[in-house]
Structures are given as structure tokens and as C-alpha cells.
Amino acid sequence: MAENNIEYTIRRIVDQAYLWDDDLDGKHVSWEDDEDNASWLDTYDFAIRLALMDGVADDRNGMPVLKEGYEVVSRQWRWPDGNACD
């Protein structure tokens, strides 16, 4: 479960599209309009590593840094029925 009931993903700023990677392996990537179709991850670190794998971050001395035009966003973790987790 996401730490502190928060989950993270990458968003492209220009059109507010969310990163989706089907197997989290960098092979099948798309940008989705609906945040529920994003690849939500348990930690900020996992999200930034996915961004690096998917080409929207650079490795700077061993630290992934998002390229210009992308941001990490977060939300409260939700149960599969859409209700927020307390």
C-alpha cells in the first residue's frame, strides 16, 4: 500500500496528461487524459525512477531529475471502488 496513503505519478504539464506504463518496464508507454489511467506508484522515488526509465527524466550523477515540462503529482490512495482511504 502507498506510504501515508499517498500515491504518485508523472504528469506532462502542457496538456495535463498522465504517464501510463502497462508493465512498468518502459516498453508500452502512453499519455492518458484520465488520472485513473495513470501508473500510480507507492512512493515518489518509484515514480521518478519510472520517469527515468520512460525517458522523461535524466540521470544526473545517479539522481533522476525530471525533464522540463513534467512533474510528479500525488493523490490520496483510493480503494478499487473509488473511495478514498482513511
Side-chain angles (χ1 to χ4, degrees):
M1 182 185 296
E3 63 185 34
N4 299 320
N5 297 330
I6 302 295
E7 56 189 358
Y8 303 85
T9 196
I10 304 301
R11 183 168 59 192
R12 189 169 53 197
I13 295 170
V14 68
D15 60 1
Q16 302 293 292
Y18 297 86
L19 179 63
W20 176 79
D21 185 327
D22 69 339
D23 292 323
L24 305 177
D25 62 3
K27 293 182 181 178
H28 297 90
V29 176
S30 66
W31 292 96
E32 303 293 328
D33 293 332
D34 185 345
E35 74 175 31
D36 288 330
N37 292 332
S39 293
W40 289 98
L41 300 161
D42 290 345
T43 68
Y44 177 92
D45 188 52
F46 289 157
I48 203 82
R49 284 194 227 166
L50 182 65
L52 182 61
M53 184 181 343
D54 289 344
V56 297
D58 294 316
D59 186 335
R60 296 191 188 154
N61 299 321
M63 295 288 297
V65 176
L66 287 174
K67 292 180 178 180
E68 188 173 331
Y70 300 92
E71 63 187 347
V72 175
V73 294
S74 63
R75 69 178 185 184
Q76 185 176 9
W77 187 80
R78 300 177 188 173
W79 293 104
D81 66 5
N83 290 321
C85 178
D86 293 329

